[in-house]
Amino acid sequence: YGDHRDLHLSLRRQRQMCIRDSEITEIRANKDLTIKDLTGAGDLFAAGYLHGFINNLTTEECLEQATKLSSKVIQQIGARL
C-alpha cells in the first residue's frame, strides 16, 4: 500500500477530514442523529475507512463509508451492527 501517511480528524462532530500526503479531503458529518451510545464509534469509523482503502476507493468514498458505519453504531446501545 505504499508509503501513504494518513491523518484523520473529526472536527466537533461537524466534519470528517483526511490528510493524505498533500491532499486534504473533507466531508460533512451526518446530522439529525439520535445518539444513544458512543461505544464502538471510532472502531467502526476505522473499519469503514480501511474497508474502502483496501478496495481502492477514493479518499472521499473511504470517509463516507467510515462515517456511515460510525453513524449507525452510535444510534443504538452497544457496539454491534
Side-chain angles (χ1 to χ4, degrees):
Y1 294 97
D3 292 327
H4 289 292
R5 302 214 191 295
D6 292 11
L7 173 64
H8 300 270
L9 304 169
S10 179
L11 305 169
R12 296 185 181 180
R13 297 184 186 174
Q14 295 174 2
R15 298 178 286 161
Q16 305 296 332
M17 178 187 291
C18 176
I19 303 170
R20 175 183 287 173
D21 301 323
S22 61
E23 173 191 340
I24 298 173
T25 305
E26 194 173 344
I27 66 167
R28 292 226 173 262
N30 291 338
K31 294 188 178 199
D32 302 322
L33 301 176
T34 303
I35 299 173
K36 295 183 179 178
D37 184 0
L38 296 175
T39 304
D43 293 333
L44 272 274
F45 184 89
Y49 188 87
L50 291 173
H51 171 76
F53 183 79
I54 64 173
N55 285 291
N56 297 313
L57 297 181
T58 66
T59 303
E60 184 173 352
E61 291 169 324
C62 291
L63 285 173
E64 288 170 355
Q65 287 293 317
T67 301
K68 178 180 175 182
L69 286 179
S70 61
S71 293
K72 217 172 187 183
V73 76
I74 64 174
Q75 294 185 80
Q76 63 184 32
I77 302 294
R80 295 183 182 206
L81 292 179

